[in-house]
Amino acid sequence: MNAYKVADATGMVKLDAMENPYGWPEQMKSEWLDLMANVDINRYPDPSASELVKKLRATSDIADKAGVVLGNGSDELIQLILMSLKPGSSVLVPDPTFVMYKQISTSLGLVCEGVPLHKDFSLNLPEMLKAIKDLNPAVIFLAYPNNPTANLFDEADIMQIIEASGGLVVIDEAYQPFAGKTFLQKLSVNHPQLLVMRTVSKLGLAGLRLGYLVGDKTILEQFEKVRLPYNINVFTQITAAFAFDHIDELDKQAELICQQREFLNDELSKLAGLLVYPSNANFILFSLLNETAEHVFNELKKRAILIKLMGSARGLPEQCLRVTVGTKEQNVQFISALKAII
Ligand SMILES: *Cc1c(COP(=O)(O)O)cnc(C)c1O
């Protein structure tokens, strides 16, 4: 195995990790600092984070009958789900997708099978259905929108996968704030195997580490058996609850990011020598036609701009780069550097 590497971004315009580039208004910051000053740091956190869950249910419109499990980032929820499986279970994902599904599966001795996406990054439904039949996967992960391809899979395709699956289907909605589409309303007694996973990371709270899993209560109770009791620390519980009280500010920032995504998309589309793929997330994938991705990545880095160099993952076009949508100034800086390079 290889460790999940994170590039050093000291002094760089950081457009590599799908972070929200905006901070909080001063007034909001000072209200938050008052809360922080009164934290009982000597006490263990509330193991069920009940205040936070209450706010989360209201903010995200989660039905009372649905269960909620919190994770130290959705990465930890992926780990919880996979730790709950019987040894020898198989896991199914489309390829390419978020690398942690396979990374954590492998570390737990589980086999994670990938079914290549079509060239336009849509799901290969017949192959997915065939893999479900052949492998009977205990869990299927579908990132919606997908990372690194940035697109939403077809809703009807996903419904067919849910119907066909005898195991769990986790819809990973990390980029939901920028996509406006969700499977949350599709949670029902008819589909207890459907789970929806979200995170506050891409919305603007990546430093907190908070993810949440929503679905059938009986199924979610099983994950509680492997969850460490104090996985959500006091600062995260209080800060996330505070942030949900100020969700309008975060929603406003998400809206700005969506506008800037259109700006970036338009600017990239004007350039010769590259292909831009449509995005429903807060990042854009593009591929180079005349140069290597590594060359352009390194030239950008020399100009103190850090984006993500995509390896040659199965199902991904050659010479791909992924850029996170930044502020207007950052995006302009990125585009002018890119123009100079290519
Ligand atoms: C970033 C990302 C995550 C991880 O989110 P954290 O809550 O920060 O752990 C999960 N799924 C997808 C598809 C992502 O891109």
Side-chain angles (χ1 to χ4, degrees):
M1 290 183 71
N2 295 306
Y4 185 86
K5 277 201 217 83
V6 178
D8 179 17
T10 316
M12 303 282 251
V13 175
K14 195 170 185 309
L15 301 175
D16 68 325
M18 284 77 114
E19 292 146 324
N20 173 334
Y22 304 104
W24 287 357
E26 285 308 317
Q27 172 63 25
M28 195 170 148
K29 253 192 214 167
S30 76
E31 277 177 44
W32 170 60
L33 285 175
D34 286 346
L35 284 177
M36 286 293 109
N38 293 309
V39 167
D40 289 327
I41 193 72
N42 55 320
R43 301 291 177 200
Y44 279 106
D46 173 355
S48 50
S50 40
E51 274 305 305
L52 172 56
V53 170
K54 217 188 292 169
K55 293 239 160 101
L56 176 61
R57 282 183 176 278
T59 310
S60 305
D61 216 4
I62 298 170
D64 289 340
K65 60 179 190 299
V68 175
V69 176
L70 302 184
N72 193 324
S74 43
D75 285 345
E76 191 191 40
L77 291 169
I78 298 166
Q79 189 184 48
L80 275 186
I81 293 165
L82 294 170
M83 282 197 304
S84 311
L85 305 183
K86 286 191 186 129
S89 301
S90 62
V91 178
L92 183 67
V93 296
D95 235 351
T97 191
F98 186 49
V99 294
M100 293 312 285
Y101 308 138
K102 190 166 257 171
Q103 178 84 5
I104 300 173
S105 296
T106 307
S107 74
L108 292 168
L110 300 163
V111 175
C112 182
E113 291 287 348
V115 171
L117 293 171
H118 285 306
K119 266 206 154 67
D120 65 355
F121 304 146
S122 61
L123 288 166
N124 186 333
L125 187 62
E127 285 300 317
M128 287 294 287
L129 294 176
K130 184 172 178 296
I132 290 170
K133 220 173 180 177
D134 294 347
L135 302 168
N136 189 23
V139 56
I140 301 169
F141 288 101
L142 296 172
Y144 184 79
N146 190 37
N147 172 10
T149 57
N151 60 312
L152 284 163
F153 296 133
D154 183 69
E155 196 179 302
D157 285 357
I158 294 180
M159 285 316 293
Q160 284 206 53
I161 288 170
I162 294 167
E163 303 283 352
S165 175
L168 301 172
V169 180
V170 179
I171 307 297
D172 180 348
E173 297 188 347
Y175 300 99
Q176 182 273 337
F178 317 101
K181 291 197 76 176
T182 176
F183 273 73
L184 210 51
Q185 277 75 42
K186 300 221 161 41
L187 295 172
S188 75
V189 283
N190 301 332
H191 305 119
Q193 72 274 43
L194 168 63
L195 304 176
V196 173
M197 187 168 69
R198 296 241 185 113
T199 173
V200 298
S201 294
K202 313 299 159 56
L203 180 62
L205 305 166
L208 276 191
R209 311 307 299 130
L210 180 73
Y212 52 103
L213 190 62
V214 187
D216 182 88
K217 273 189 175 149
T218 313
I219 290 176
L220 292 198
E221 277 164 15
Q222 312 312 308
F223 302 130
E224 288 292 340
K225 298 174 184 174
V226 291
R227 183 178 70 84
L228 295 175
Y230 305 113
N231 64 330
I232 312 298
N233 73 69
V234 278
F235 298 112
T236 297
Q237 290 193 27
I238 290 171
T239 307
F242 173 81
F244 289 138
D245 282 338
H246 296 78
I247 196 69
D248 289 352
E249 181 62 34
L250 293 176
D251 287 344
K252 207 169 68 190
Q253 294 179 352
E255 181 56 39
L256 277 177
I257 290 167
C258 289
Q259 287 169 15
Q260 280 304 305
R261 171 182 69 201
E262 299 320 306
F263 167 77
L264 258 188
N265 181 68
D266 291 350
E267 291 299 311
L268 286 169
S269 303
K270 282 185 216 158
L271 300 181
L274 60 84
L275 283 176
V276 191
Y277 303 97
S279 169
N280 292 290
N282 64 340
F283 61 92
I284 293 180
L285 181 76
F286 60 99
S287 62
L288 301 162
L289 302 173
N290 308 320
E291 276 157 290
T292 68
E294 194 175 2
H295 168 71
V296 172
F297 171 80
N298 286 329
E299 287 297 314
L300 283 167
K301 215 165 147 186
K302 279 187 204 159
R303 292 162 173 82
I305 298 169
L306 184 65
I307 66 170
K308 176 87 175 174
L309 174 64
M310 305 307 299
S312 52
R314 209 152 58 115
L316 204 63
E318 303 225 322
Q319 311 304 339
C320 270
L321 292 162
R322 189 188 69 191
V323 61
T324 302
V325 178
T327 62
K328 175 90 187 211
E329 294 70 34
Q330 292 174 330
N331 298 333
V332 166
Q333 208 178 330
F334 161 70
I335 290 290
S336 67
L338 185 63
K339 273 184 190 161
I341 295 162
I342 68 170

